[in-house]
Amino acid sequence: MMTRRTCMGALGAVPALAMAQQSSTSSTATAGVTTRIRRLQLKHTWTTVMSSSTYRDTIFVEFHKDGITGTGEGAPIVRYHESAASAKAAIDAIVPFLESCDPGHYAKVMGEVLARIPGEWAAKAAVDIALLDWASQRMGVPLHRMFGLDAADAPVTTFSIGIDTPEVIRQKVAEAKDYPLLKIKVGLDNDDQIVTAVRAVTDKPLICDANEGFPSKEAAVDKINWLASQGVQLIEQPLPAQNLADMNWIRERVRIPVIADEACLRPEDVPRLAPHFDGVNVKVDKCGGLQQALRMIGMARALNLKVMIGCMVSSSVAITAAAQLSPLVDYADLDGNLLIANDPYTGVLVRNGKLILPNRPGLGLQPNPAA
Ligand code: MG
């Protein structure tokens, strides 16, 4: 653990030294890049209105240079025609470029990566995270410090309760006893029963995610107002992503914030959505990395939108990366690593629901001895 004094020393002195080292080595040392697909086993079968599954495959990238390894991960999204295999192929195709670049120039490098890889946003996110992990380790600072953020500002994270039978839901709520804010997937025919089952065992505040599942604007208003009466504080994506026309009709008739998720992929979506939603859910895997996510958060703030940072099911690599930006947001939904049984790393922790960012250089990942 760094003391305050050594932290200040790291901030003040090491970056200058690190830059000197970089400039002396970047012209001669070659980087190595490795990509790997990992199968993450889910603790519970995960059901949303879109799919049901027992595992997820994600793409891992390691960036090796000057004795430092930067690690990144992206969770490819089937909806956007991404798979772990397509993500791996996309990164493998630019390995010669990545091996020739200076990862200290991570902003410039990611500009090239965004231009060189068509689609494959999870792949881009994995590269971005690996570059930033490498660069902040090289500077000797936790990544959130490179962004000028205070770990003490990290919010509580929600813990998601997947769609299931009332019996299993009661069990899942019991497992979530350390989390003060629960998230429930709604939008299926039995969502009243699910919320009622949760309410039978806890009075914690809830947020709900419809994943585009409400059948009409009228049904959405009825359901959102009922959910609000049950202590639900926010609703995500009530209608299909392309339906912006009905969103203000809904917002005029409900009293909890309505957040865009499936409608919001990348920075250019934020100004388009601003007149129709109260906030946006930013996901690193969908936008192509932390640098893209930072653009989205800045744009959302300029447009007076609430900001949520969300995640896909993934290991502690992607979740710890997203958590580095959590001091900037209103709501964090970063529990994707808590849903898997074989996390290869540890990183961000949750204490009484609050995200605890590692106080180690880079992402601060460590191998998980239990994996
Ligand atoms: Mg969502």
Side-chain angles (χ1 to χ4, degrees):
M1 179 86 88
M2 279 185 171
T3 62
R4 182 173 174 83
R5 181 163 301 190
T6 55
C7 271
M8 296 303 286
L11 274 175
V14 175
L17 175 63
M19 278 193 285
Q21 287 170 347
Q22 266 173 21
S23 59
S24 67
T25 56
S26 59
S27 59
T28 53
T30 306
V33 174
T34 56
T35 58
R36 174 180 173 186
I37 296 168
R38 282 186 190 261
R39 178 152 294 183
L40 306 175
Q41 302 293 338
L42 298 173
K43 291 177 183 169
H44 292 284
T45 300
W46 182 247
T47 304
T48 70
V49 295
M50 282 179 266
S51 63
S52 183
S53 57
T54 58
Y55 66 84
R56 293 291 164 83
D57 290 340
T58 65
I59 182 71
F60 280 70
V61 179
E62 285 185 349
F63 202 105
H64 313 276
K65 188 171 181 174
D66 301 345
I68 295 171
T69 296
T71 304
E73 180 191 17
I77 303 177
V78 175
R79 178 193 172 108
Y80 308 119
H81 313 291
E82 297 178 355
S83 67
S86 68
K88 186 175 189 304
I91 301 168
D92 287 345
I94 61 160
V95 162
F97 162 72
L98 292 174
E99 288 181 338
S100 69
C101 79
D102 180 346
H105 300 157
Y106 51 88
K108 172 178 168 176
V109 174
M110 271 313 291
E112 271 291 313
V113 171
L114 290 174
R116 284 176 186 238
I117 298 182
E120 301 295 344
W121 297 94
K124 291 168 182 157
V127 172
D128 172 82
I129 293 166
L131 288 167
L132 290 170
D133 184 33
W134 189 95
S136 48
Q137 284 188 63
R138 183 57 180 268
M139 291 184 188
V141 295
L143 179 51
H144 58 271
R145 282 187 174 268
M146 205 161 79
F147 293 132
L149 301 177
D150 183 351
D153 294 336
V156 300
T157 180
T158 60
F159 184 84
S160 291
I161 307 293
I163 291 170
D164 219 312
T165 62
E167 292 73 27
V168 176
I169 283 176
R170 280 193 284 274
Q171 177 197 337
K172 289 179 177 179
V173 171
E175 286 173 19
K177 63 181 180 342
D178 295 334
Y179 298 86
L181 182 61
L182 302 181
K183 173 167 164 171
I184 301 174
K185 298 283 189 179
V186 295
L188 293 183
D189 290 341
N190 64 341
D191 53 13
D192 290 16
Q193 290 160 264
I194 291 167
V195 172
T196 302
V198 172
R199 269 290 165 255
V201 288
T202 181
D203 57 3
K204 288 175 185 177
L206 308 174
I207 72 171
C208 283
D209 188 352
N211 290 116
E212 313 176 280
F214 294 143
S216 67
K217 63 182 180 182
E218 292 84 3
V221 166
D222 287 348
K223 190 54 67 74
I224 293 168
N225 283 328
W226 180 77
L227 291 169
S229 77
Q230 298 298 306
V232 171
Q233 300 192 331
L234 165 161
I235 182 83
E236 269 182 72
Q237 198 70 47
L239 297 179
Q242 66 277 11
N243 186 347
L244 298 183
D246 290 335
M247 288 313 306
N248 283 325
W249 190 92
I250 292 174
R251 287 169 68 218
E252 285 161 11
R253 289 163 178 80
V254 304
R255 58 185 188 279
I256 59 174
V258 184
I259 306 294
D261 183 2
E262 282 80 355
C264 185
L265 305 180
R266 289 180 280 281
E268 62 267 31
D269 296 316
V270 177
R272 184 174 61 79
L273 297 170
H276 305 284
F277 286 90
D278 299 296
V280 291
N281 188 343
V282 174
K283 288 184 179 161
V284 175
D285 308 272
K286 292 200 298 192
C287 69
L290 297 183
Q291 297 181 78
Q292 285 275 90
L294 203 52
R295 289 184 187 114
M296 294 178 77
I297 294 168
M299 211 176 289
R301 289 303 184 202
L303 293 164
N304 277 322
L305 293 171
K306 293 184 185 303
V307 180
M308 181 170 184
I309 191 158
C311 65
M312 307 304 293
V313 174
S314 48
S315 83
S316 282
V317 177
I319 303 301
T320 302
Q324 304 289 327
L325 298 180
S326 70
L328 290 170
V329 308
D330 301 296
Y331 308 99
D333 179 25
L334 296 179
D335 64 348
N337 57 333
L338 305 174
L339 305 176
I340 63 173
N342 60 335
D343 194 339
Y345 293 90
T346 61
V348 67
L349 300 176
V350 181
R351 198 170 298 144
N352 299 323
K354 186 177 160 70
L355 294 164
I356 308 295
L357 302 183
N359 190 23
R360 292 184 291 274
L363 293 176
L365 300 171
Q366 294 183 318
N368 180 7

